[in-house]
Amino acid sequence: MERKYAFSWDLLGDIAEGRPYLGNATRIEVYRLMQFTFKDIIEQHVGWEKTNEIFYQAGKLAGQEFYQNMIDKTDDFNNFINQLQTVLKELGMGIFRVEEADMEKGELTLTVAEDLDCSGLPETGYEICTYDEGFIAALLEGFSGIPFVVKETDCWCTGDRTCRFSAKATNEGN
Amino acid sequence: MISKDARSLLDYLKALLNDVRIKPDIPTDMIDDEDFLCLDKTIKSVREAALELGKGNLSYSIEGKGYVLGSLKALQSSLRNLTWKTKAIAAGDFSQSVHFLGDFSDSFNSMTKQLAVSIQEIKEAQEHFEMVFNTIPDATIITNFEDGSLVAYNQAFIETTKFSVAELNQNPVTIIDLYLNIEERKMLLEKLKKDGYIENAEISFLGRSGEILTGLISSRLIFMKEVPHILSVIRDITELKEIEKKLQKSEELHRLLADNAADVIWTMNLDGKFSYISPSVKKLRGFSVEEVLAQSQEEVLCPGSLIHLQQGLERAIHSVQNNQPFQVFRGELEQPCKDGSTVWTEATVSGIYSEDGRFIGMLGVTRDISERKIMEEEILRLSITDKLTQSYNRLKLDETLEQQFERAKTEAIPFSIIILDIDHFKLVNDTYGHQVGDRVLIELVAALTENVRSDDIVGRWGGEEFLIILPETNLSDGLHVAEKLRDVVETYRFTTAGQVTISLGVSAYRDDLTPESIVSRADAALYQAKENGRNRVEFLE
Ligand SMILES: [Zn+2]
């Protein structure tokens, strides 16, 4: 298939050059407006489940690129988490925390408070942070070299105050 | 006023929130109300979650959704994250900090920081200790007090024992195996128990291949995790011991040699006092070692030799003061013996230096050369003696003539000479044979020598011709001596040959003469004596 949208980090552009007055900041509404309108249209084309699948995969691609471009390589898990915490906070993406982590077993419980995607959203009764799920899965894989499956168990949209993710290493791809 | 149904509903909800026990029954007319059932479930979930959180059970899985439950979950999440961070800190990750729990965050973070500083200080202290431990030039170990297992060791221990680190890692060594005599360890442990320390105790221990090493061990009792251990520093003195032993052996050997040598071996300080002298001195001089060590320089050497010692000492002191090497001295010395006689010795003296080049003293070897001296004198005597007559030979006569001439010239002391010849000696030889002739010569010399002064020199001038040198004698005195000798010979009865006469020519020193002309004048006088009838004395005017 001929590709026109193949992602590369360069596509984010030279923001300092391109936005000398407005700079790097934009409003969260704009980000959410884009994400939820995408979801609307894509769902109409491929259905709810497929839409979630697409957003999970997009999140994963974002996570891979993010890991490559924003995280210094390290073997130390705590150092990796600290970096992630700092950079996610700096970029205003959320407050990332570890609740439990057992890298030997490949089981983690992570939370993101003030999540970019869902914090403050009306209750919908179902978790919506599929993009985050993919994003976190790719970061963990980047660090450990092992594929992860990430599932959101609590979300603002289900009435909780933080998004809680459960991550499990898989043998998939081995 | 509210209805009875509403009252029972309120009572149920009140109990649900406030009472320890929940009313068992949901009000009957609410049993099918979905909203009520949902509310009932949420409140029960909140009760359970609050109860478990209150108990500190963070792993409790909070069921249900909604604002209050969500907040409880957020609290649970914070506490769980706090637990994770605490674990990370406990594992040594001091980069962790907390920012979501208000005042608690500050206290927690400052505690972490303090902990990090303390741990860092401990780590630095430990590193410092390890650095010191490892760089101590002596073997340093920490062993378990009870079983002797080796807990820590430094590089010097490896070098001393020749174990490799890999070996020690693979087969842990207990210090008990390294003791040559386990009783030594028992004694050390007793002392450690009693005093808490050991200082420089000498022990024998084994290296990797069983070689026996000697060490000075200093130990302290220390506690690691409340278990008694011993910190020991062991100075390897094996080599030192070896050298000491060798030194002792070589000293003994040297002493043995010196004590038994025929030569006298001695050492002396720059003040001229013996510091050692071998017992062989007794054989040489009759004095014991103790007597010699107490003797003054004057008692050690005869006056003529004393000057050599004094000059030698002066040179030695000069050399030492000017950092010049000690000049080896060799000389012949005459030394007094206990029986009043003297003995001629040859001494060879060299300097003794310490390992760092410092002058310590003098080392001398003294050898008895009296026999050599006698030989030398004999050789000297033979060189100036006529073999047949044992009178002086031509060499000695020439020498003496020269000396007397010089003396007369410089000191104006006169001397005379007599040249004499046996009359008709050829006839004696022809009549009685050469042996009798020789006998006549010998007896003549004896008669002449007997009748001159001891200072006068009688020598064979050649054939049957003799020359007599008379020091401090003028011509007239010389003539008297000559006449006396003529008379002595004339009256002497020679063995076999009987009467033999001599003719004599006399001359004396005059400042216009040379030694040669003095002799030729005497010769000419002798010729005249022969001409004038033999058995007479003549001189030239
Ligand atoms: Zn969410």
Side-chain angles (χ1 to χ4, degrees), chain B residues 12 51 59 251-252 350 416 480 514 537:
Chain B
Y12 178 79
L51 181 66
S59 57
E251 257 175 24
E252 274 167 19
S350 49
S416 299
H480 273 111
T514 63
V537 176

Side-chain angles (χ1 to χ4, degrees), chain A residues 112 115 117-119 121 126-130 132 152 154-158 162-165:
Chain A
V112 180
D115 184 85
D117 288 355
C118 73
S119 59
L121 257 61
Y126 48 86
E127 294 81 6
I128 64 137
C129 298
T130 45
D132 281 1
E152 188 177 34
D154 291 320
C155 183
W156 190 285
C157 298
T158 59
T162 52
C163 298
R164 181 180 266 158
F165 298 90

Side-chain angles (χ1 to χ4, degrees), chain B residues 173-228:
Chain B
V173 159
T174 127
I175 205 69
I176 293 168
D177 298 334
L178 298 185
Y179 270 88
L180 180 65
N181 178 3
I182 197 63
E183 291 303 315
E184 277 189 348
R185 176 168 147 90
K186 281 184 188 155
M187 275 164 58
L188 293 179
L189 290 191
E190 283 304 311
K191 185 166 172 9
L192 265 181
K193 259 187 207 163
K194 199 167 122 255
D195 304 334
Y197 72 93
I198 292 165
E199 226 148 78
N200 289 330
E202 192 172 317
I203 53 159
S204 297
F205 60 103
L206 300 169
R208 181 184 171 278
S209 319
E211 63 273 25
I212 297 171
L213 304 168
T214 310
L216 287 182
I217 188 168
S218 295
S219 303
R220 291 279 182 287
L221 197 57
I222 58 168
F223 286 86
M224 290 166 71
K225 292 177 182 158
E226 292 175 20
V227 179

Side-chain angles (χ1 to χ4, degrees), chain B residues 308 315 327-333 346-349 365 372:
Chain B
H308 291 305
R315 273 203 305 274
Q327 292 282 325
V328 173
F329 164 83
R330 179 169 292 172
E332 290 177 5
L333 304 167
E346 183 190 70
T348 307
V349 187
V365 179
R372 197 177 86 194

